[in-house]
Amino acid sequence: QVQLMESGGGSVQTGGSLRLSCAASGNTTSDVCIAWFRQALGKEREGVAIANTRDRVPWYRASVKGRFVISLDNTKNTLYLQMNDLKPEDSAMYYCAAGSRFADDCWSSVHRYAYWGPGTQVTVSA
């Protein structure tokens, strides 16, 4: 069992920055995949960034690459998402998620993650 709790969301203007945090507790071993997802109103939930892929290089969806940075502090059991140069299309509920590895790797499909936080809202105004 893994418990997750996000924080750090808010409202910013285009070009602004936010840092999201996700406090994890429970079975948070290195075998667990941990990632950020988001879901905009009326859209499907989508993967944003994955911290611990097999080759240890974080994965980012193309639209956030170069603007977002995911990091994991194992000493604090906390996952972060630094979001810079925010755009209105980044507005969504952001979720932290944890799940088991598949084929020794972590994936961006929502179906690979069994544990979810309640989410934190990010709103970017033009």
Side-chain angles (χ1 to χ4, degrees):
Q1 288 282 344
V2 178
Q3 294 79 42
L4 304 168
M5 181 60 68
E6 306 92 340
S7 61
S11 297
V12 296
Q13 293 186 328
T14 297
S17 297
L18 284 172
R19 188 174 84 152
L20 305 183
S21 298
C22 172
S25 59
N27 184 18
T28 56
T29 67
S30 59
D31 291 338
V32 174
C33 296
I34 189 160
W36 287 100
F37 286 77
R38 68 185 180 187
Q39 187 168 18
L41 202 60
K43 295 188 176 181
E44 293 188 352
R45 193 168 298 188
E46 62 184 19
V48 176
I50 302 170
N52 49 350
T53 61
R54 179 174 55 190
D55 60 2
R56 304 305 181 198
V57 176
W59 172 88
Y60 298 95
R61 73 178 301 105
S63 62
V64 308
K65 201 173 291 187
R67 299 187 297 120
F68 290 12
V69 178
I70 190 171
S71 60
L72 181 60
D73 187 336
N74 287 310
T75 64
K76 297 181 180 179
N77 275 353
T78 301
L79 180 72
Y80 300 99
L81 186 67
Q82 177 67 44
M83 306 187 295
N84 301 319
D85 190 23
L86 282 160
K87 307 174 187 297
E89 52 265 39
D90 295 318
S91 296
M93 185 72 82
Y94 282 71
Y95 299 91
C96 176
S100 300
R101 291 182 177 274
F102 177 73
D104 195 32
D105 206 347
C106 298
W107 305 86
S108 60
S109 168
V110 297
H111 303 294
R112 294 294 174 194
Y113 294 82
Y115 304 102
W116 296 84
T120 186
Q121 179 68 40
V122 171
T123 303
V124 185
S125 57

